[in-house]
Amino acid sequence: MINYLKHTRIDKLRWDDCISRSVNRQVYAFSWYLDVVCPGWDALVEDDYSTVFPLTHKRKWTVRYLAQPFFTQQLGIFSLNVITESQVREFISAIPRSFRLVEIHLNSMNKYAGSDEETTLRINHELNLAPAYSEITGLYAQNTRRNIRKAHDWELNLSRTNGVDDLVGLFRENFGSREGKLKDSDYATLKRLLLYCIDHHLGYILGATTKAGALTAGAFFLFDQSRVYFLFAGSSPEARDNGAMFFLIDRFIAEQAGKGLVLDFEGGNDPNLGRFYKSFGAVEVPYPSLKINRLPKVVERGLYFMRKR
């Protein structure tokens, strides 16, 4: 039986035990991660926490809806056993109707083709780091090799750092200011997430600096068991000329090659990003995105414009 649990009724010890032993473990589904990116999240739970589904909810006006939190690529159903498509359907049907709109991403092991619901496939990119470094670099594109040489010509330096403000600032001042998607509250959430990971020794920042000591590219890598996430990155305009991000990722691959990890690039729906990740030999891994709309048209339009603000 699938039970809907409000946040205060969730047994987080059992929850995290399920996520840690699930066949499709993802770091995003641990309670500590959800607590940062979506405080007060609810859940669907089956068979004494053998299968679980986080419900990341928001509210606009009087409308409660499910939305995918920023910095969280995939959620959906996690289970100790292989997940069937019929099971996915059962969980989706169990989402309380009080959530009038559902716009969430499931995970790559949640096979689902919707009927009345709108489902689309999104693309993630993953790179197997189990082989030796020399074998992995044999898959690099010529453009990637060329940019790595550029970085050496520019005499870039690479080091680990705990400079969360510097990394977030680098992103915000460049790509973030152009895109305009993240608000002040989202950047605050991001900083809390990165600091939590650093404080609990779950990941670190790699920064590439110029000869003058200026940060030109940086990335946060989050480790969870056999997977490492390219969780967040930022770069300066000069990085296009000096190959800093190519250099940074290549050095990370060199450090982690042969250790049995999978590098999860966390994206690739954007064609340009997809090409970038593939240039290191990454492969596509699809996952479904789900939309269920139970809103009257007038409310739907108002909610859309409110979310754009």
Side-chain angles (χ1 to χ4, degrees):
M1 181 179 178
I2 300 173
N3 296 301
Y4 167 53
L5 300 182
K6 296 248 182 168
H7 186 75
T8 53
R9 291 182 56 209
I10 298 169
D11 185 329
K12 291 184 180 177
L13 289 177
R14 287 185 178 179
W15 178 279
D16 287 337
D17 180 65
C18 174
I19 300 303
S20 67
R21 296 191 294 122
S22 65
V23 297
N24 55 334
R25 173 175 173 149
Q26 291 269 11
V27 71
Y28 316 113
F30 280 101
S31 64
W32 64 265
Y33 199 107
L34 291 167
D35 284 344
V36 175
V37 298
C38 186
W41 54 280
D42 296 340
L44 297 175
V45 174
E46 183 178 42
D47 295 337
D48 199 24
Y49 291 85
S50 67
T51 306
V52 299
F53 184 166
L55 299 176
T56 48
H57 55 79
K58 292 186 176 183
R59 182 187 290 271
K60 284 289 186 185
W61 308 320
T62 60
V63 178
R64 298 176 74 224
Y65 64 98
L66 299 185
Q68 192 72 14
F70 284 123
F71 323 117
T72 307
Q73 187 197 58
Q74 302 178 36
L75 286 172
I77 301 164
F78 297 85
S79 180
L80 304 182
N81 306 301
V82 174
I83 302 164
T84 65
E85 185 168 343
S86 63
Q87 191 175 22
V88 177
R89 289 184 178 279
E90 288 173 7
F91 267 85
I92 290 173
S93 296
I95 295 174
R97 296 193 66 82
S98 58
F99 296 115
R100 305 295 301 281
L101 180 67
V102 176
E103 291 182 323
I104 56 174
H105 302 159
L106 307 180
N107 61 72
S108 59
M109 291 185 69
N110 291 173
K111 305 305 179 187
Y112 181 69
S115 49
D116 296 332
E117 297 86 4
E118 178 185 343
T119 55
T120 55
L121 281 182
R122 298 179 63 85
I123 302 298
N124 189 26
H125 286 79
E126 299 179 1
L127 177 63
N128 182 10
L129 299 182
Y133 174 67
S134 59
E135 186 176 340
I136 297 173
T137 58
L139 301 175
Y140 283 9
Q142 286 301 317
N143 182 59
T144 297
R145 301 175 190 276
R146 188 161 50 247
N147 274 281
I148 293 169
R149 287 196 296 270
K150 270 195 213 175
H152 288 291
D153 292 341
W154 278 67
E155 299 181 36
L156 298 184
N157 297 304
L158 188 70
S159 61
R160 293 192 190 186
T161 172
N162 289 336
V164 167
D165 287 340
D166 292 337
L167 174 60
V168 174
L170 185 65
F171 173 88
R172 189 170 188 173
E173 292 163 13
N174 295 285
F175 183 78
S177 64
R178 296 195 306 272
E179 185 190 41
K181 185 187 294 184
L182 300 180
K183 302 175 184 176
D184 288 346
S185 58
D186 300 318
Y187 284 110
T189 296
L190 173 61
K191 289 182 180 181
R192 285 196 299 272
L193 178 61
L194 299 185
L195 287 171
Y196 181 99
C197 294
I198 290 171
D199 289 345
H200 290 80
H201 308 289
L202 299 173
Y204 55 79
I205 298 168
L206 279 183
T209 55
T210 64
K211 284 195 295 184
L215 183 67
T216 187
F220 188 89
F221 294 92
L222 170 58
F223 290 78
D224 179 57
Q225 206 174 56
S226 61
R227 183 175 292 261
V228 55
Y229 298 82
F230 186 64
L231 188 66
F232 183 76
S235 59
S236 68
E238 292 77 22
R240 295 182 182 179
D241 299 320
N242 62 29
M245 193 58 74
F246 289 90
F247 168 66
L248 186 155
I249 292 175
D250 171 68
R251 290 296 83 205
F252 179 81
I253 290 171
E255 181 182 293
Q256 301 299 330
K259 296 182 180 179
L261 296 170
V262 170
L263 174 56
D264 187 329
F265 279 110
E266 268 211 335
N269 239 39
D270 179 290
N272 292 325
L273 277 178
R275 281 192 293 272
F276 176 67
Y277 300 144
K278 285 179 181 176
S279 76
F280 292 93
V283 298
E284 293 185 358
V285 180
Y287 61 97
S289 180
L290 174 68
K291 179 175 180 179
I292 303 172
N293 190 348
R294 301 164 179 156
L295 290 170
K297 286 294 183 184
V298 63
V299 177
E300 180 186 0
R301 286 195 296 270
L303 186 61
Y304 171 82
F305 286 115
M306 285 292 290
R307 294 209 312 265
K308 287 294 183 183
R309 290 181 183 178

